[in-house]
Amino acid sequence: MTVDVDFGDDGLVPAVAQDADSGEVLMLAYVSPEALEQTIETGRAHYYSRSRDELWEKGASSGHTQEIREVRVDCDADTLLYLVDQNVGACHTGHRSCFYRTVDGENVGERVYDPDDVYGE
């Protein structure tokens, strides 16, 4: 049975990317129907950028791809969980996870690459 994902009025649902082995939460992004279709077809994570208003494949420019092991949908069918094998880091800041600091500003995450080397910032 296929679950009908509720993409709501704006046509997007949040998707949490989680390391399939460790369970570490890597990032949150948004997914359109086309992004979900591309994710399922290619086996690599695709998202929808609200700021750029376009579909994007995670790691297309950095090489830090997310290979999909499984896509899950929550009980309300309005949120996705991507269980992934993360290549290098998920965060554009160079950290493995986008959730690398506490609300108090303490850095609790691992930096795994230099973003200047990848993005030339």
Side-chain angles (χ1 to χ4, degrees):
M1 171 175 95
T2 302
V3 175
D4 288 327
V5 177
D6 179 2
F7 287 94
D9 294 338
D10 65 357
L12 301 173
V13 294
V16 175
Q18 181 178 34
D19 185 282
D21 290 326
S22 71
E24 179 182 22
V25 174
L26 300 171
M27 59 179 277
L28 179 133
Y30 290 86
V31 172
S32 64
E34 182 183 10
L36 179 57
E37 182 180 308
Q38 288 295 309
T39 296
I40 292 167
E41 285 181 12
T42 66
R44 293 181 312 277
H46 287 73
Y47 300 100
Y48 189 84
S49 170
R50 296 179 302 166
S51 61
R52 294 187 315 264
D53 194 26
E54 67 183 17
L55 180 74
W56 60 283
E57 178 182 346
K58 178 66 176 156
S61 61
S62 68
H64 302 168
T65 57
Q66 292 175 341
E67 299 297 321
I68 297 291
R69 286 228 210 137
E70 187 174 32
V71 177
R72 295 184 185 178
V73 61
D74 79 332
C75 57
D76 294 323
D78 63 0
T79 304
L80 300 174
L81 176 65
Y82 283 3
L83 297 174
V84 303
D85 292 320
Q86 177 67 53
N87 177 19
V88 189
C91 187
H92 72 282
T93 65
H95 291 84
R96 174 149 171 82
S97 168
C98 292
F99 299 95
Y100 64 89
R101 58 190 169 182
T102 69
V103 73
D104 295 326
E106 180 185 358
N107 189 341
V108 295
E110 177 185 11
R111 193 160 211 196
V112 294
Y113 72 94
D114 185 342
D116 290 340
D117 293 341
V118 174
Y119 303 109
E121 295 176 357

